[in-house]
Amino acid sequence: MGLFGTIKPGLRKSQAAILHLDLLGSMAVQMLDGTALTPTGAKTRGLLAILALSDRRPVTRKTLAHLLWSRRSDEQARASLRQEIHRLSEALSPLGTDILDIQRHALTLKPVLTTVDAERYLNASPSGILKLPETDATLLTDLEAVDPALDEWLAQQRNRLRHHMTTVLEQAESSLPDPEQRIAAANRLLRLDRLNENAWKTLMRELVRTADTSAALLAAEQCLATFRDSLANEPSAATRLLIDELRASQGAGRSSSHSDMLSGRVASCEATFSSERPSHGATNGAAHTAEGWGTGNQTIASIGFSPLQPELLTAITPDLENILDETAVGLANQGFLSVFPPFHTPPMRESSKVETRASGDYLVQTKIQTSLLPGATEGTLSQQVRLIVRVTDQRRDGMIVWAERFPIIPGNCDTVAALLTSEIGWRIALAEARNSASRHADELTPLEAGLRAFAFINRKEPASFLPAEKLLQSALRRDPQHPFLLMTAALFGLVRSYEQWAPERIERERAAAIEAARGLIRVIPETITGRLILARLLLDRPSEREAGLRLIEETKPFAPSLGITIAIEAYALLMQDRPLEAAACLKTFRRSHPTHPFVDLFDTDVVLIFLLGGNAREAVERSRIAFSMSPTRISMLTLHLAGLAALEKADDESVVAEQTEARAQLLRLMPDFSLEAVRTHYAYLPPTQLAAFLTLLERAGIPATPLAFAGRKKPALGGTSSTGYESSSVVPSSSVP
């Protein structure tokens, strides 16, 4: 019966599946004896497919009607659905058993009586995936163009199946004990995704382990050819390093044993990490070369710019070229991207010769959109110009990583370029961290380890801090002056200080973060990002607050007028006991950049400013989002409780219930939590703001002292402290002279 056995061991015959559904390829439905029961109507097959891929959960009639008759009215769709349910029941009637659980509002396919081939793959574990027959069949090829809504659902199901199989095979190639199994998993993964670098590296390493060096060399050449043919580019630096080591070991006539290969590769990696330093030759824009800016093994990905098309040549083209040039320089100066400079626009008579191929793992694509709006004078029109920017991953079929629209007006080119630099660099860092998520930590280069730590930091969950710390310590030991690693270490110290509640640990985190930020400025003196991070850190130290304020003022002339400087300035206003001005300043920033990564990473600052600045509703909206995503953050729970207490309708039943739930969660995480702990944690706040904050928490039911919880020294959720983790600096002493 293909993928299925007739009766599972231990099951009575009456319990065994009596109907088999094959959904890979075109649908096929058959009984145990091979009798075909495949419905003839496309809508009927669509109904059965939806039920079969619903994870055996009930599917509402409303959902079924929408997916199969999205162009009809609700009443017509429901009537048609009733007819199709009857047709499906008739088609399956030879079974003699009703396998459809038909209720008034929903339908379910009874799980015990049916088996579905796709489910075997969707439920497969890393150890079980290789036991299933290999398949590259497309799911439900006979259900295309039945209904637009069903087409969309079908695309989602195909992506779901492909993503699950890719994930499980990646886990299999890294966790199965037998090298032959890991080779089989890597080969299957490559048949699904020829550009999966982790699979190529696993395949080469495991072939070496099995002493099949010739096959490993062949895999290396196939890997290079695949990337060159598909992307006109090379694989990542880590993959090329492995290939070079493999070629070198073969060329030297050495034995390609497992120990030789691995020891050679590790030695090569360590030598590379210790000798490389970031290149700043492109700081002044003088390094416009076809080889790219910021190239080298320290870079995690390359980025290119799509050339301007002839039809986009307008009066604002010089502004656009200026924006892209400044963005390219800014990205190169971040130190972790190889940047291929933008193509310059040729004269109109040469426009047909514009190069259409652009290099890079990521591609920045631009489009100009113009519209006419009423002018200042009655009866006149003015032209509005918008720049549409999107960043696509060229190794993953042009998947969009980030996109945004910007108005182009006289004088805002520097601002747009600065925003593009921060947004693009941030999004690519997170994308690359996700791309390497399945690799072993010991396989990561220092920069890749830093990127994975960067992803952990963006989660802001206390449970993520320990792995982030270990990754950063390892990376900085090998490359103590890499600007991206130093920036990540500074951010890490700041973010983790939010979740520390012992004074000595708070100070230790801040000191480590300040050390890393100052190290970044030493490595790249012109870095605006490093200066702003350092300014933000110094604002939390009353003795150095004036230095932080001066640093902001010194940076403002060189920073975009509507950039991240505004958000740091808002926090500075709060520290100067000007909360209303701080909230207004932050609102200006959020209006200009509603999706800026700063808002997510520093959401604690955002909520605190809005709360103390008289915008309780905005504070609660932001804290609700953070609380729902990570309910173990004591700092955010504290702010959420205070925000709920500050709402005008604090006596509303729903608010009271939410407050009770948040308070209970807070005391579960930190049983000795009290106003005394809050006073110590937020000692850096101006006295009037700290008093207002404590009043709100007292109204929310937080006890004044931890005496009521005496004897309960251990946190309810385990761990070594109230936040469940120990703390130590991630910046080695040698990293910052």
Side-chain angles (χ1 to χ4, degrees), residues 146-455:
V146 173
D147 187 276
L150 188 66
D151 287 341
E152 184 177 349
W153 172 87
L154 188 57
Q156 293 171 352
Q157 296 301 317
R158 289 170 177 171
N159 288 336
R160 172 193 172 199
L161 178 61
R162 182 182 180 86
H163 175 74
H164 178 78
M165 291 179 66
T166 299
T167 301
V168 172
L169 286 169
E170 286 177 339
Q171 294 171 352
E173 68 176 7
S174 63
S175 63
L176 293 179
D178 186 357
E180 294 294 342
Q181 291 178 310
R182 294 195 289 269
I183 290 172
N187 277 320
R188 283 200 182 193
L189 185 52
L190 287 172
R191 281 188 277 274
L192 283 176
D193 179 10
R194 294 292 291 172
L195 298 177
N196 191 303
E197 291 194 51
N198 194 40
W200 282 115
K201 290 195 292 185
T202 298
L203 181 60
M204 288 183 278
R205 283 196 300 268
E206 298 306 325
L207 287 171
V208 169
R209 284 190 174 97
T210 59
D212 196 348
T213 310
S214 298
L217 287 168
L218 178 60
E221 297 306 321
Q222 289 175 335
C223 174
L224 292 173
T226 297
F227 276 82
R228 289 166 181 168
D229 293 343
S230 300
L231 304 177
N233 209 338
E234 300 287 331
S236 70
T239 304
R240 295 197 306 271
L241 189 61
L242 178 59
I243 292 173
D244 291 343
E245 179 62 22
L246 180 60
R247 287 170 166 173
S249 65
Q250 180 69 8
R254 297 198 314 251
S255 170
S256 299
S257 67
H258 168 53
S259 58
D260 286 345
M261 175 58 68
L262 290 188
S263 62
R265 183 166 60 87
V266 171
S268 176
C269 288
E270 293 293 344
T272 301
F273 297 149
S274 62
S275 63
E276 286 178 351
R277 289 295 175 265
S279 171
H280 309 302
T283 301
N284 59 5
H288 278 226
T289 69
E291 296 178 357
W293 298 333
T295 57
N297 287 337
Q298 287 190 318
T299 62
I300 193 65
S302 59
I303 185 167
F305 292 78
S306 178
L308 299 179
Q309 298 302 312
E311 59 269 21
L312 299 183
L313 304 182
T314 68
I316 63 99
T317 298
D319 290 337
L320 177 56
E321 289 184 337
N322 184 43
I323 290 172
L324 296 181
D325 276 339
E326 289 187 25
T327 301
V329 172
L331 290 171
N333 286 341
Q334 289 184 346
F336 63 95
L337 290 172
S338 298
V339 182
F340 293 89
F343 291 90
H344 289 285
T345 306
M348 281 295 285
R349 65 179 179 274
E350 300 179 8
S351 61
S352 60
K353 300 180 182 179
V354 174
E355 174 113 24
T356 58
R357 183 183 65 81
S359 302
D361 301 325
Y362 294 88
L363 186 64
V364 178
Q365 299 171 308
T366 55
K367 180 180 180 181
I368 296 297
Q369 186 180 70
T370 60
S371 58
L372 294 177
L373 298 176
T377 306
E378 185 176 354
T380 63
L381 296 175
S382 64
Q383 186 181 57
Q384 182 186 53
V385 180
R386 285 183 176 179
L387 171 64
I388 301 175
V389 182
R390 68 178 184 180
V391 180
T392 58
D393 190 337
Q394 297 302 291
R395 300 162 301 178
R396 287 167 175 77
D397 300 323
M399 181 183 69
I400 296 177
V401 174
W402 175 76
E404 190 56 87
R405 294 184 300 177
F406 301 94
I408 302 299
I409 58 177
N412 79 333
C413 293
D414 291 344
T415 299
V416 172
L419 294 175
L420 286 175
T421 299
S422 62
E423 286 272 11
I424 292 173
W426 200 289
R427 305 297 179 180
I428 290 180
L430 290 176
E432 287 300 305
R434 289 192 294 268
N435 291 342
S436 64
S438 61
R439 301 176 189 171
H440 290 295
D442 58 1
E443 297 177 3
L444 301 177
T445 66
L447 184 51
E448 288 173 332
L451 283 163
R452 186 173 293 183
F454 182 75

Side-chain angles (χ1 to χ4, degrees), residues 663 667 671-680 694-695 697-709:
R663 184 171 58 248
L667 295 178
D672 57 350
F673 189 81
S674 65
L675 296 181
E676 183 179 312
V678 176
R679 184 179 290 105
T680 301
L694 292 170
T695 299
L697 289 172
E698 184 179 14
R699 192 188 306 170
I702 299 300
T705 66
L707 296 178
F709 305 99

Side-chain angles (χ1 to χ4, degrees), residues 28-99:
V29 183
Q30 59 184 6
M31 297 170 58
L32 279 175
D33 61 4
T35 302
L37 299 180
T38 308
T40 56
K43 298 281 188 181
T44 314
R45 295 197 304 276
L47 172 60
L48 181 57
I50 296 169
L51 296 176
L53 291 173
S54 65
D55 298 323
R56 304 311 175 101
R57 296 189 180 95
V59 184
T60 65
R61 289 176 179 256
K62 181 178 180 181
T63 298
L64 292 168
H66 170 70
L67 290 176
L68 294 169
W69 295 277
S70 62
R71 295 173 176 173
R72 295 187 184 180
S73 66
D74 290 346
E75 185 177 347
Q76 289 176 322
R78 294 249 182 180
S80 298
L81 176 60
R82 287 193 292 270
Q83 294 176 0
E84 289 303 332
I85 293 173
H86 177 72
R87 291 192 181 103
L88 181 57
S89 299
E90 285 292 318
L92 302 177
S93 61
L95 290 168
T97 302
D98 190 1
I99 68 165

Side-chain angles (χ1 to χ4, degrees), residues 483-607:
F484 180 77
L485 298 179
L486 290 169
M487 182 192 76
T488 304
L491 292 174
F492 179 55
L494 175 58
V495 171
R496 190 159 68 166
S497 70
Y498 294 144
E499 299 300 331
Q500 297 287 9
W501 292 83
E504 64 277 6
R505 288 185 175 175
I506 296 173
E507 182 55 32
R508 186 163 56 197
E509 297 295 348
R510 288 179 184 155
I514 290 172
E515 184 183 7
R518 286 174 171 157
L520 174 58
I521 294 173
R522 288 191 180 97
V523 173
I524 307 180
E526 68 276 10
T527 172
I528 294 177
T529 301
R531 290 171 179 271
L532 290 176
I533 293 175
L534 179 59
R536 166 62 187 82
L537 288 162
L538 294 178
L539 290 173
D540 284 346
R541 282 183 166 179
S543 61
E544 297 189 76
R545 188 165 292 163
E546 286 300 321
L549 294 172
R550 288 195 301 271
L551 199 55
I552 294 174
E553 291 302 317
E554 292 172 2
T555 304
K556 284 169 67 174
F558 306 99
S561 58
L562 293 176
I564 196 174
T565 310
I566 299 179
I568 304 298
E569 193 172 5
Y571 190 80
L573 289 169
L574 181 66
M575 294 301 104
Q576 293 174 291
D577 203 10
R578 298 156 65 184
L580 297 180
E581 295 176 63
C585 191
L586 185 58
K587 280 186 175 181
T588 300
F589 176 79
R590 291 209 61 186
R591 279 196 301 269
S592 303
H593 320 297
T595 63
H596 199 285
F598 175 91
V599 176
D600 287 325
L601 186 61
F602 300 116
D603 54 1
T604 305
D605 285 356
V606 172
V607 175

Side-chain angles (χ1 to χ4, degrees), residues 634-701:
I634 294 175
S635 61
M636 188 56 70
L637 279 166
T638 305
L639 292 167
H640 187 56
L641 267 176
L644 291 172
L647 288 177
E648 294 179 1
K649 298 180 180 179
D651 57 344
D652 184 89
E653 289 185 7
S654 62
V655 173
V656 172
E658 187 176 2
Q659 197 175 69
T660 301
E661 179 187 356
R663 184 171 58 248
Q665 172 70 352
L666 180 57
L667 295 178
R668 278 195 296 270
L669 293 169
M670 188 174 173
D672 57 350
F673 189 81
S674 65
L675 296 181
E676 183 179 312
V678 176
R679 184 179 290 105
T680 301
H681 184 83
Y682 289 95
Y684 57 88
L685 285 175
T688 54
Q689 302 309 313
L690 180 58
F693 190 26
L694 292 170
T695 299
L696 291 173
L697 289 172
E698 184 179 14
R699 192 188 306 170

